[in-house]
Amino acid sequence: MSALFPALVAGSDRPALRFGADALTYEELAEAAGALAARIADAGRVAVWATPTARTAVAVVAAFLADVPAIPLNPRTGERELAHILGDSTPSVVLAGPEDVLPAGLAELPRIDVGTTVTHVGPVPSALTGGSDGSESPALIVYTSGTTGPPKGVVLSQRAIAASLDALEEAWAWTEDDVLVHALPLFHVHGLILGVLGPLRRGGSVRHLGTFSTEGVARELGAGGGTMLFGVPTMYHRIADALEDDPALVRALAEARLLVSGSAALPVHDHERITAATGRTVIERYGMTETLMNTSVPVGSRPRPGSVGLPLRGVGLRLVEEDGTELGAYDGESVGEIQVRGPNLFSAYLNRPDATAAAFDGDWFRTGDMAVREPDGYVRIVGRKATDLIKSGGYKIGAGEIENALLDHPAVREAAVTGAPDPDLGERIVAWVVLADAEKPPTAQELADHVAGLLAPHKRPRTVHFLRALPRNDMGKLLKKALPEALHG
Ligand code: MCA
Ligand code: AMP
């Protein structure tokens, strides 16, 4: 077993991170994270207030060094979701920036302010170089939505993180010379594990834009020094929209070594617009919080819009029919559920042995994603098993949790939530509501704010329809497919 972040142990004046004006070399990161690691060494688990700042990176790296599991928190999490996550994961301390104002839900928890500089310069104490690439130690607990109920904590080991990042090294020829540019949130796998821990494992560097903008991408990528761009399809859609009037953005993309999209399908139209304007192809990779990365179009492959590529090194992937039979055909037509196994998989759902057992068929993890395999083995995702899971802006959102939040509003008697196609977000959350008192209707904005306050802003409905009744069958079961008709009923 070797260190998870060799470049951190070695220390150097090479750049590791840059978030706006906050930049740290490997040596500085080792010092800041090492000092913090010493303070949290005895913590059971730590919550990290995961703002898109260098402090989040320092806090997470410190947790790795101290061998303490970290729970990244969305700083916009609403009160109910935050209470659930804290109750479920029971951190003993929260790590935040000195200027961060934490919500009442975190008032009871001891707080440690994270610095990005240390006054005492010295090496990381040898007892605090935890973080080894073969360790089963839980490193991160990342919360993810299911179709019903509150989000589940996905326990990810150091081993899984190292295995997935090393498989991507091979697929993308990712080296210490790469400078990754992105603007992804740091409380999910894409932004935190791929986008921060990925460059650190390679000994390369990351530049985070703080918030996404095409101007930021144009500034940092290409001549700005960035060699790789990671984004969700919504970001590439906005890039495709901007390319026509932005020669600097065209140049930046054309000069980058690698453009990678993931977290949801990038529409073929956006692939084509980007290629037409820049001559570059965007590579798609397919992953999940529970599995980390499963497949990717390898660097150097011919353009494959609509495909998520081949299984990564070490990942077993099969397609399975409804009755459990494995599909052998690589015919580009036979559809089955993707199941995967390999060293990249999570350890368990926290406190949920039932859900963990239900997610597996032997050692195969059931992804719920439906796909075909082309004759050359490339995987094409064609849909999802559960219609109650919505992917909006690259975020996975369960319809059930939003329905429950809506039902908590005094003006709402019944509620149903669906996803509708959206050119920008992929899918948009649509709420269908029956009012308790039709004479006193709340505004759509009021209901959206209510959901944002309880859960998170990205879970708010973007469209609200008011109905006299929800369509149901004779057994009283809700018929979601009949909702659009009910609007005109
Ligand atoms: C709006 N806002 C509100 C409300 N309405 N705040 C409170 N209450 C409200 N009612 C605020 C927001 O907080 C935000 O503030 C601003 O208005 C706009 O928010 P939003 O509508 O969410 O922005 P958007 O335009 O929809 O965002 C698009 C986005 C975002 C930037 C692409 O969706 C995004 O960052 N997506 C990334 C998701 C991701 O990383 N997924 C990976 C999951 P402000 O303007 O201040 O921000 S991991 C995964 O899927 C697997 C492993 C994989 O394969 O990667
Ligand atoms: P999450 O649970 O947030 O980790 O989201 C995982 C889900 O995102 C997967 O099960 C897929 O449905 C979806 N996903 C991730 N990457 C891609 C991709 N490149 N193409 C299509 N869907 C994707």
Side-chain angles (χ1 to χ4, degrees):
M1 293 204 288
S2 37
L4 204 50
F5 304 115
L8 203 64
V9 176
S12 74
D13 59 2
R14 285 172 59 86
L17 319 160
R18 198 175 84 193
F19 287 70
D22 236 350
L24 278 83
T25 64
Y26 274 93
E27 205 165 41
E28 289 164 341
L29 177 60
E31 285 160 8
L36 181 58
R39 296 181 66 189
I40 60 172
D42 297 327
R45 292 182 188 133
V46 296
V48 176
W49 193 243
T51 52
T53 61
R55 297 182 193 288
T56 300
V58 170
V60 170
V61 170
F64 273 87
L65 294 180
D67 221 344
V68 167
I71 304 124
L73 300 176
N74 174 357
R76 291 209 165 96
T77 302
E79 51 188 282
R80 174 176 302 174
E81 191 158 309
L82 182 62
H84 163 71
I85 292 173
L86 296 177
D88 190 48
S89 60
T90 60
S92 60
V93 60
V94 56
L95 311 181
E99 70 290 349
D100 289 333
V101 179
L102 301 185
L106 280 164
E108 301 293 301
L109 214 53
R111 167 181 182 156
I112 295 180
D113 285 338
V114 180
T116 51
T117 52
V118 281
T119 41
H120 167 74
V121 176
V124 177
S126 58
L128 295 173
T129 46
S132 89
D133 56 12
S135 166
E136 294 300 319
S137 285
L140 288 169
I141 302 170
V142 180
Y143 278 79
T144 187
S145 291
T147 47
T148 55
K152 299 189 285 283
V154 175
V155 181
L156 293 162
S157 66
Q158 298 177 6
R159 174 260 308 152
I161 292 168
S164 206
L165 292 176
D166 292 354
L168 293 176
E169 172 190 23
E170 181 180 284
W172 298 342
W174 190 350
T175 74
E176 62 177 6
D177 295 325
D178 279 306
V179 177
L180 172 65
V181 173
H182 74 91
L184 293 155
L186 300 191
F187 46 85
H188 275 311
V189 164
H190 197 166
L192 182 61
I193 299 186
L194 270 60
V196 174
L197 303 182
L200 296 182
R201 174 126 177 105
R202 295 278 72 82
S205 66
V206 55
R207 289 189 196 165
H208 196 282
L209 302 178
T211 46
F212 176 77
S213 71
T214 53
E215 295 75 21
V217 172
R219 189 182 62 241
E220 298 292 345
L221 205 60
T227 65
M228 298 166 83
L229 177 69
F230 288 179
V232 293
T234 301
M235 295 171 181
Y236 281 102
H237 177 79
R238 293 178 187 180
I239 286 173
D241 277 350
L243 282 170
E244 201 175 319
D245 301 317
D246 191 343
L249 185 61
V250 172
R251 262 197 313 279
L253 262 66
E255 286 167 8
R257 186 179 78 74
L258 198 65
L259 310 172
V260 187
S261 174
S263 301
L266 181 63
V268 170
H269 178 60
D270 288 330
H271 269 287
E272 289 173 349
R273 290 197 296 162
I274 292 171
T275 301
T278 67
R280 302 303 309 278
T281 57
V282 178
I283 278 176
E284 280 197 72
R285 94 300 180 283
Y286 156 65
M288 223 175 149
T289 305
E290 291 89 334
T291 65
L292 303 181
M293 295 304 114
N294 295 311
T295 70
S296 179
V297 173
V299 64
S301 155
R302 69 177 170 83
R304 297 295 287 250
S307 170
V308 294
L310 296 167
L312 292 165
R313 185 184 68 206
V315 177
L317 185 147
R318 66 179 188 181
L319 299 186
V320 175
E321 289 187 86
E322 196 67 49
D323 64 3
T325 329
E326 191 174 332
L327 272 174
Y330 283 19
D331 57 7
E333 279 177 19
S334 308
V335 177
E337 183 191 7
I338 301 176
Q339 297 190 349
V340 289
R341 65 179 176 192
N344 50 311
L345 261 55
F346 72 132
S347 310
Y349 292 117
L350 188 67
N351 305 324
R352 294 292 305 275
D354 53 332
T356 308
F360 284 89
D361 175 2
D363 59 351
W364 292 94
F365 175 76
R366 309 171 204 266
T367 64
D369 292 308
M370 306 300 289
V372 300
R373 291 195 83 166
E374 306 291 355
D376 58 2
Y378 274 57
V379 178
R380 186 157 51 85
I381 296 176
V382 296
R384 233 183 348 249
K385 240 177 159 176
T387 49
D388 274 349
L389 277 182
I390 300 163
K391 264 269 160 167
S392 187
Y395 287 112
K396 184 155 88 175
I397 303 160
E401 54 179 326
I402 308 172
E403 288 160 0
N404 288 335
L406 286 168
L407 286 170
D408 255 27
H409 191 285
V412 175
R413 194 172 71 208
E414 288 184 90
V417 166
T418 56
D422 184 280
D424 182 46
L425 296 169
E427 284 183 287
R428 175 175 73 245
I429 296 171
V430 179
W432 310 77
V433 167
V434 179
L435 293 172
D437 179 355
E439 300 297 311
K440 292 188 206 138
T443 62
Q445 184 64 45
E446 189 180 331
L447 294 181
D449 291 347
H450 170 77
V451 173
L454 282 182
L455 304 179
H458 67 265
K459 297 186 177 180
R460 72 189 188 278
R462 311 261 174 161
T463 308
V464 180
H465 296 299
F466 295 102
L467 299 176
R468 275 196 291 275
L470 297 182
R472 297 183 182 277
N473 68 11
D474 294 343
M475 309 295 289
K477 186 177 171 330
L478 178 64
L479 299 170
K480 285 200 173 179
K481 285 207 174 86
L483 281 164
E485 283 166 47
L487 197 56
H488 307 295

